[in-house]
Amino acid sequence: MPRKSPLVIGHRGAPGYRPEHSRSSYELALAMGVDAVEPDVVATKDGVLIVRHENEISGTTDVALHPEFADRKTTKRVDGQALTGWFTEDFTWAELSTLRGRERLPEVRVSSASFDDSQAILRLRDVLDIVRDGSAEHGREIGVVLEVKHATYFASIGLDLARLIERELRDAGWAEGELPLVIECFESTVLGQLRERGVAASYIYLIEAKGRPYDRLVAEGKQALTYKATVTPQGLDGLVGRVDGISVNKKMLLARGNTIVDDAHARGLQVFTWTCRPENAFLSPEFRGSGGRSEFGDYESEWGVIARQGVDGVFVDHPDLGVAFFRD
């Protein structure tokens, strides 16, 4: 029986070509034919949801060039890791709106870095509007895959992301199921909270190749189920009825003999994977080509291993390559 093509999801837009989470990154992804785009969501001090890879923004904005914010630099522990820099929760939206975005991986993506400091940070609402307008412009329904970042951490400092996200989605007309919406997180607690709040979406549990989810680690300590154990048949049994699927680190699907996709599908769960990138820097060793980290390797062979397993969705940084390869 032939497999259907997976959803091709522009991972933070089209960050292979433009700085991630920028307006031009999202607009380019839509023009290149993606089925959906994926914004990462964090919060400001005044409860505005913005799209950034992390709440620590020294690597993705020009904040270090703003002397008025020099005293905001600090060290915090986020999800158990010490980080030094500037954090979104220490700024109001009005303050963050004065910053400009930067390429997160300038040594690998030199061309994208040429667009540094030219575009403002976006709110979640901005991305929702870009996608709605883009759907009309391109004549096809385009979805949003919203990734909730550091929900347990934000709750610990008085920012309830579930409440903020529900409010934003309802205000923007994205909470009733009229537009394609997926909500994903490495922490299942906030997924359950959003489902209980009646937000109509597909709920996808993000799975790392190692470690434990921070929400369960806080609640259960070392008794918390590891990510690796979560994708065993027994672990998947525990997800049935709680989420609609999983999104796994591609390393797990590239491991020989894995049966993750078949095991999940047997239980009615979807399987997404992240992130399909063509550069040597991100390919498994056997698929790397000659040249440096920024050169393209044999990405089609690596992606073929993933595609043949029948995944339901793939996150890509180069939407044109992803659409050309994965779509029938």
Side-chain angles (χ1 to χ4, degrees), residues 35 98 101 132 153 210 218 240 284 297:
D35 298 299
T98 67
R132 187 195 296 272
Y153 166 77
K210 59 183 180 179
V218 169
V240 176
S284 292

Side-chain angles (χ1 to χ4, degrees), residues 163-176:
R163 180 180 64 81
L164 295 173
I165 290 169
E166 180 202 2
R167 182 180 68 189
E168 190 72 272
L169 291 173
R170 292 200 187 284
D171 287 349
W174 279 80
E176 306 299 331

Side-chain angles (χ1 to χ4, degrees), residues 124-299:
L124 172 60
R125 181 59 181 268
D126 297 321
V127 177
L128 297 174
D129 290 345
I130 288 169
V131 175
R132 187 195 296 272
D133 293 344
S135 295
E137 177 186 351
H138 297 291
R140 68 181 196 279
E141 191 173 64
I142 305 171
V144 168
V145 180
L146 188 164
E147 180 178 346
V148 186
K149 287 281 191 171
H150 309 301
T152 299
Y153 166 77
F154 276 111
S156 75
I157 59 172
L159 289 165
D160 181 349
L161 292 189
R163 180 180 64 81
L164 295 173
I165 290 169
E166 180 202 2
R167 182 180 68 189
E168 190 72 272
L169 291 173
R170 292 200 187 284
D171 287 349
W174 279 80
E176 306 299 331
E178 64 272 34
L179 296 166
L181 176 66
V182 174
I183 300 177
E184 61 178 7
C185 188
F186 286 103
E187 303 174 79
S188 60
T189 301
V190 70
L191 298 180
Q193 292 168 345
L194 283 162
R195 175 167 264 171
E196 288 171 3
R197 287 175 172 271
V199 175
S202 292
Y203 288 90
I204 302 293
Y205 190 15
L206 281 161
I207 304 290
E208 252 295 8
K210 59 183 180 179
R212 290 177 170 85
Y214 188 65
D215 58 335
R216 304 316 309 162
L217 187 62
V218 169
E220 303 170 29
K222 292 299 178 66
Q223 299 302 310
L225 198 66
T226 64
Y227 284 124
K228 188 174 181 180
T230 302
V231 297
T232 63
Q234 183 178 3
L236 292 170
D237 285 341
L239 298 181
V240 176
R242 295 177 52 217
V243 295
D244 299 296
I246 57 175
S247 182
V248 300
N249 186 318
K250 70 173 184 177
K251 294 177 183 177
M252 304 178 87
L253 299 185
L254 294 171
R256 292 185 183 279
N258 90 84
T259 58
I260 293 171
V261 176
D262 286 342
D263 290 342
H265 284 172
R267 290 157 177 81
L269 298 169
Q270 299 178 72
V271 182
F272 294 1
T273 192
W274 48 276
T275 303
C276 290
R277 296 162 164 147
E279 297 104 335
N280 285 325
F282 308 112
L283 294 172
S284 292
E286 64 268 35
F287 300 114
R288 293 172 192 161
S290 58
R293 287 166 49 82
S294 62
E295 297 298 319
F296 288 7
D298 186 12
Y299 68 90

Side-chain angles (χ1 to χ4, degrees), residues 278 283 287 297-306 308 321 324-325:
L283 294 172
F287 300 114
D298 186 12
Y299 68 90
E300 290 185 326
S301 291
E302 183 187 89
W303 296 4
V305 174
I306 292 168
R308 286 190 292 274
L321 302 183
F325 183 85

Side-chain angles (χ1 to χ4, degrees), residues 11-22:
H11 183 236
R12 309 169 195 158
Y17 303 109
R18 301 289 188 275
E20 64 187 29
H21 294 312
S22 64

